[in-house]
Amino acid sequence: MSGLGKTIGRAAAVTAAVGIAGFGYASVIERNWFRLRHYEMPLLPEGARRLRVLHLSDTHLTPGRRMLLDWIRGLDDYRPDLVVNTGDSLAHPDAVEPFIDALGPLLDRPGAFVFGSNDLYSPRLKNPARYLWRDSKTDYGERSVPDLPWEDLGAAMSASGWLDLNNSTGHLKAGGLDIAFGGVHDSHIDLDRYDDIAGPANPTADLRLGVLHSPEPANLDRFVADGYQLLLTGHTHGGQVCMPFYGTLVTNCGIDRKRAWGLNRYGDAWLHVSGGLGTSPYAPVRFCCRPEASLIDLVARG
């Protein structure tokens, strides 16, 4: 073999080794390296005590994810006043029972939820690189009948007193505060019906929360126009595979790349996009984008 051939061979071997090591890190280490983000923001009326909101999203649970289930089970130790689940909890027909079991005592706290597409439709094997040039919305066009037990999931959370906010509004008392909610079903599968909840949010409430799975600007704009102060959403996985010094590559929806995760201003409201806790079982990797839930401490203004 010529010197050039040996050099090319060594380069190919190094590249393959780096690729294998990177996949191993992304699928074994970072995918299970859960973190809890903390935020504090002055959003409550003067004199109100702190309200701690736990935001969960995009668990994409399969029954065997023991590390993830145990981590979720420990979140009650942070004593949230309110729990909000913004969908895509399931990735398997047998995931409802372990998910509800993992929530455990969190279900005894005030809570609210919406569904994502993967609460209704099971994941399918596909080339994840397609997300670089299109989102996954068209993948659901031929799937008219849900094949996951979303009704059982919703019934279990509703039975604990959590608000079902799929194209619905409601009120809860949490932390001594009156909270007005509005929510829509997942726009990613064209089940959002903002017209069903349109109109000003209750101006006498201590807090007005908008809840949705996918942060599509068309819906976000309407929540803001109706006076919701904090919008909670997920879906993006924070990009799931991000590049150092660049960040999120794609959002798989209409939100801009810089607001693919975290707490940001959105018009007159605040927007929190959760990076989510899981992945599709057919794309079990995270890179520079650790799985997460968030604690948002809301405190009094001024």
Side-chain angles (χ1 to χ4, degrees), residues 14-43:
V14 169
T15 300
V18 169
I20 292 170
F23 181 83
Y25 165 80
S27 63
V28 177
I29 297 176
E30 186 163 327
R31 179 173 175 247
N32 294 297
W33 190 10
F34 311 111
R35 67 176 165 191
L36 186 63
R37 290 189 182 272
H38 291 257
Y39 301 93
E40 181 176 294
M41 53 187 305
L43 200 61

Side-chain angles (χ1 to χ4, degrees), residues 35-295:
R35 67 176 165 191
L36 186 63
R37 290 189 182 272
H38 291 257
Y39 301 93
E40 181 176 294
M41 53 187 305
L43 200 61
L44 300 181
E46 185 176 350
R49 76 169 185 85
R50 183 196 71 181
L51 181 79
R52 172 160 285 184
V53 181
L54 173 63
H55 183 189
L56 304 173
S57 196
D58 296 272
T59 308
H60 292 279
L61 187 64
T62 53
R65 299 284 319 271
R66 300 310 314 174
M67 293 177 66
L68 174 55
L69 290 166
D70 290 344
W71 192 84
I72 294 172
R73 194 172 288 113
L75 291 174
D76 189 67
D77 293 344
Y78 294 92
R79 300 185 179 277
D81 300 296
L82 174 68
V83 185
V84 178
N85 176 13
T86 50
D88 273 6
S89 301
L90 307 181
H92 191 279
D94 297 330
V96 173
E97 183 176 349
F99 180 70
I100 294 300
D101 180 68
L103 290 178
L106 289 172
L107 288 168
D108 296 328
R109 301 181 181 276
F113 67 93
V114 293
F115 293 129
S117 59
N118 287 123
D119 293 316
L120 281 71
Y121 299 100
S122 58
R124 290 182 175 179
L125 181 63
K126 51 196 172 186
N127 178 6
R130 293 183 307 169
Y131 294 139
L132 294 175
W133 64 84
R134 70 172 205 179
D135 68 32
S136 62
K137 189 170 185 176
T138 57
D139 295 341
Y140 296 94
E142 75 282 5
R143 303 172 70 181
S144 58
V145 179
D147 61 347
L148 287 179
W150 61 274
E151 292 173 305
D152 295 340
L153 174 65
M157 291 187 286
S158 295
S160 296
W162 284 19
L163 286 179
D164 181 343
L165 293 175
N166 290 286
N167 301 323
S168 186
T169 59
H171 283 78
L172 280 178
K173 279 281 190 180
L177 299 176
D178 178 34
I179 305 174
F181 293 86
V184 293
H185 209 307
D186 190 6
S187 58
H188 204 60
I189 47 176
D190 295 322
L191 291 180
D192 54 320
R193 303 288 184 268
Y194 195 92
D195 286 345
D196 290 353
I197 68 165
N202 185 352
T204 67
D206 297 309
L207 178 66
R208 299 178 295 279
L209 291 183
V211 182
L212 61 167
H213 176 66
S214 181
E216 289 294 346
N219 282 325
L220 297 176
D221 292 344
R222 296 189 72 178
F223 276 109
V224 173
D226 281 341
Y228 290 93
Q229 299 162 284
L230 174 61
L231 312 179
L232 300 178
T233 180
H235 177 69
T236 67
H237 297 191
Q240 189 166 325
V241 175
C242 299
M243 292 295 104
F245 311 110
Y246 182 81
T248 300
L249 296 176
V250 293
T251 66
N252 196 28
C253 65
I255 197 69
D256 54 285
R257 194 174 54 78
K258 292 185 178 179
R259 286 185 284 196
W261 60 265
L263 187 65
N264 293 280
R265 293 295 295 184
Y266 192 93
D268 293 331
W270 286 93
L271 169 66
H272 180 257
V273 181
S274 172
L277 282 166
T279 68
S280 165
Y282 296 115
V285 295
R286 279 184 176 255
F287 189 77
C288 292
C289 188
R290 287 170 59 188
E292 64 179 44
S294 296
L295 279 178

